Amino acid sequence: MNTSVRMIIVLTVIAVLAGGILSTWDGITRPKIAQHRLEELKAAIAEVLPAYDYYDQVEAGETTFYIGRRNNVEAPVGIAFKAEGSGFQGKITMMVGLKPDFETLTGIKVLEQIETPGLGNKISVDPSNKENPYWFAEQFRGVQTAPEITVVKNRKPTKNTEIEAISGATISSRAVVRILNETIRKAKQLYLINRNRDGNRNG
Amino acid sequence: MKLMLLFLSAAIVNNFVLSYFLGICPFVGVSKRVSSALSMGLAVTFVMTISATVTWLIYNLILVPYNVEILEYVAFILVIASLVQLVEMFIRKVSKPLYDTMGIYLPLITTNCAILGLALFAVLREYSFIESLVFGIGAGVGFTLALVIMAGIREELELSPVPKHFQGAGITMIVAGSLALAFMGFAGLIAN
Amino acid sequence: MAKKNVSLSAEFLKGIWNENPILRSLLGLCPTLAVTNSAINGLAMGLATIFVLVSSSILISLFRKRIPHQVRIASYVVVIATFVTLADRYMAAYYPVISKALGPYVPLIVVNCIILGRQEAFSSKNGVGRSILDALGMGTGFIMVLLVLGSVREILGSASLFNFTILGDWFHPWMIMILPPGAFLTLGLLIGLANWYNEKRGIV
């Protein structure tokens, strides 16, 4: 057989086999991976919002709002959305939960970050605090967002808009707060515009 | 502004070689002379810029619409290998001097993990076309920077009494460690 | 074909020390440095690499006479990339936490020079049996270095091993060890130590 014909046949056989095997494998693993993603998302929403029975998903521009609701109650219990921005080393992504007026935080959870291990990465988990490794995120629960959230260093917060910085990682702590202040303001506008528009359509 | 930050992040703060460990093989292999390091760096930056855009097009215009993202790795590596060949042929035709400086390094680039790494990171971070392009240039510049600095230090090292067992790879790693430490000082550059 | 009279055990053992892919040939350094900030990550990366290396070696040594010389590299690359995709998706579907920790370094096994290098240097010239032994040996040598690096860095950098705290509160973790500089420094020292040991044993 001519060499170039053989070359083409061999490469075609390899490509077809590889394609076949991979598409079969795709069929097996894709639903599992999608399920993990959904579970992760649900867990994050559940962590930042007050107890709810179900949540609605509303798309507004590039942001998706997850609106937690109770059965037979018209007003939502809280609204969650993903916030992102740059930290000390790179992008920080968080799930943010708020009361429907966008004035009170109900919780935050850091989803992705590449802050410095041992310092800045304490924004997601702090192994040096044995009693509560998640203290940094948890102190945001109940914090007021207006006029804006502020960071205090080396002391306990005294006002309800303050949170305490991680010692040795002030920039990462500030970055989290800056991202929150910026995204909450934008999300509030986006959400209200969207609701009014929907409201007008319904009425 | 956002693009500028992306460029700085890829080139300096999250340098491909010193903080993602991508492209270590040429980093150890082609860092003995500043001149060859610079040529290798240019060749890599060139291929990175092209491959960042081509892999973006392949992923977003072919793999995603036809729902065959599973072929990502196979497609990317084939694209990169063919691209390197094309670039090599093109440069040889167009410019003899350019081929003499960059050409011999091109075949080495196919197995340079920085090129595939770039494509994978761009997909993972859902960059837009322009962002991928800037990311590619930034990563290439960062790679060149690390390679040239390293070569400069290694030229000096040849005159230094390095303990016998650490000569070559051992001391290169340790110097790279110190460089990585120095580059960590750039963290925070993009924070505010 | 069988040009060497190497015993089967030597075929396996050479990869572990005398021709260790990392310490002696300096191949596959990217994953070695990138994922060894903890022992468990090193282990997972090592296992995934062994899977790809052994499967590709089997397939390529079986069909070595049917693959035309001119397209061999392209064929190897497709075979390797296919196995890498299988491994990557398997981890993402069944071990999502580790898969997330390793991130894009699993797909980067495609360009791990050890794998392509063994296909070109060994599997394309030897039978299935020997190729499996060679791949297993090289893989074992690779995973050993990954485990040593991962353990040293995790103990010194996080005071733990496989996520179990082993050093008490008296020990202040050396943060640098789990950061990129720690990877370079530890590997540099390990290479130096290996050279010193080899010289003592008379292997150069």
Side-chain angles (χ1 to χ4, degrees), chain B residues 17-25 70 73-74 77-78 111 113 117 120-121 164-166 169-170 173-174 176-177 180-181 184, chain C residues 26 29-30 33-34 77 81 85 88-89 104-105 107-108 110-111 113 176 179-181 183-185 188-189 192 195-196 199:
Chain B
V17 181
L18 297 172
S19 63
Y20 289 147
F21 311 101
L22 295 169
I24 297 285
C25 301
I70 192 145
Y73 311 153
V74 179
I77 189 71
L78 286 179
T111 49
C113 35
L120 295 171
F121 272 116
K164 191 169 77 187
H165 305 108
F166 284 91
M173 285 297 143
I174 290 170
L181 201 57
M184 277 178 62
Chain C
L26 300 176
L29 294 180
C30 309
L33 293 162
V77 166
T85 313
D88 181 50
R89 284 299 182 96
Y105 292 100
L108 283 172
V110 176
V111 281
C113 334
I176 189 82
L179 296 173
F184 285 112
L185 296 176
L189 287 176
N195 287 344
W196 169 78
E199 194 193 56

Side-chain angles (χ1 to χ4, degrees), chain C residues 4 11 14 61 64 117-127 130-132 134-135:
Chain C
K4 298 172 288 181
E11 210 74 272
K14 68 177 190 297
S61 58
R64 65 186 189 278
R118 289 333 283 170
Q119 309 314 324
E120 177 74 355
F122 202 92
S123 308
S124 57
K125 302 189 181 91
N126 291 278
R130 276 177 188 272
S131 298
I132 295 178
D134 175 76

Side-chain angles (χ1 to χ4, degrees), chain A residues 4 7 21 37-38 51 61 66 71 82 94 102 109 111 116 124 128 140 151 155 175 181 184 193 199:
Chain A
S4 47
M7 270 162 54
I21 292 170
R37 293 229 175 101
L38 187 65
Y66 308 96
N71 292 333
K82 270 188 197 173
M94 293 177 280
F102 283 81
K109 182 180 168 61
L111 303 173
T116 322
S124 67
S128 71
F140 283 90
V151 183
R155 66 171 171 89
N181 280 330
I184 290 173
I193 291 170

Side-chain angles (χ1 to χ4, degrees), chain C residues 31 35 40-49 102 105-106 109 142 146:
Chain C
V35 302
I40 190 84
N41 287 355
L43 185 70
M45 183 51 146
L47 289 177
T49 309
L102 296 179
Y105 292 100
V106 177
I109 297 176
F142 180 70
L146 252 59

Side-chain angles (χ1 to χ4, degrees), chain C residues 23-204:
Chain C
L23 297 177
R24 303 291 285 168
S25 323
L26 300 176
L27 294 175
L29 294 180
C30 309
T32 310
L33 293 162
V35 302
T36 51
N37 50 8
S38 73
I40 190 84
N41 287 355
L43 185 70
M45 183 51 146
L47 289 177
T49 309
I50 291 183
F51 163 75
V52 176
L53 181 54
V54 173
S55 330
S56 316
S57 289
I58 294 174
L59 212 63
I60 283 161
S61 58
L62 270 178
F63 294 101
R64 65 186 189 278
K65 288 170 189 153
R66 302 202 177 274
I67 301 175
H69 189 72
Q70 297 88 330
V71 292
R72 69 185 194 289
I73 301 287
S75 318
Y76 301 164
V77 166
V78 174
V79 170
I80 295 170
T82 306
F83 281 119
V84 169
T85 313
L86 292 181
D88 181 50
R89 284 299 182 96
Y90 177 78
M91 286 167 87
Y94 298 96
Y95 300 96
V97 177
I98 291 186
S99 166
K100 226 178 166 184
L102 296 179
Y105 292 100
V106 177
L108 283 172
I109 297 176
V110 176
V111 281
N112 186 327
C113 334
I114 299 173
I115 297 175
L116 192 62
R118 289 333 283 170
Q119 309 314 324
E120 177 74 355
F122 202 92
S123 308
S124 57
K125 302 189 181 91
N126 291 278
V128 182
R130 276 177 188 272
S131 298
I132 295 178
L133 284 175
D134 175 76
L136 280 175
M138 289 292 162
T140 313
F142 180 70
I143 204 171
M144 269 170 36
V145 177
L146 252 59
L147 271 179
V148 170
L149 273 178
S151 307
V152 170
R153 290 181 62 195
E154 192 181 342
I155 293 173
L156 295 177
S158 317
S160 62
L161 187 62
F162 287 103
N163 293 332
F164 293 109
T165 308
I166 56 164
L167 294 179
D169 282 336
W170 56 270
F171 181 80
H172 193 75
W174 306 357
M175 225 71 90
I176 189 82
M177 295 305 282
I178 47 174
L179 296 173
F184 285 112
L185 296 176
T186 318
L187 183 63
L189 287 176
L190 203 61
I191 290 175
L193 272 179
N195 287 344
W196 169 78
Y197 179 69
N198 279 332
E199 194 193 56
K200 251 182 65 176
R201 277 173 65 226
I203 312 164
V204 181

Side-chain angles (χ1 to χ4, degrees), chain B residues 102-156:
Chain B
M102 268 166 61
I104 47 167
Y105 299 107
L106 283 171
L108 291 174
I109 290 177
T110 315
T111 49
N112 182 339
C113 35
I115 314 272
L116 183 64
L118 177 85
L120 295 171
F121 272 116
V123 167
L124 203 68
R125 298 179 186 166
E126 297 169 355
Y127 283 150
S128 69
F129 182 76
I130 300 293
E131 283 172 334
S132 296
L133 180 68
V134 173
F135 184 54
I137 301 172
V141 170
F143 178 83
T144 312
L145 201 64
L147 203 64
V148 170
I149 296 177
M150 191 67 204
I153 297 178
R154 282 184 78 175
E155 282 187 1
E156 295 293 318

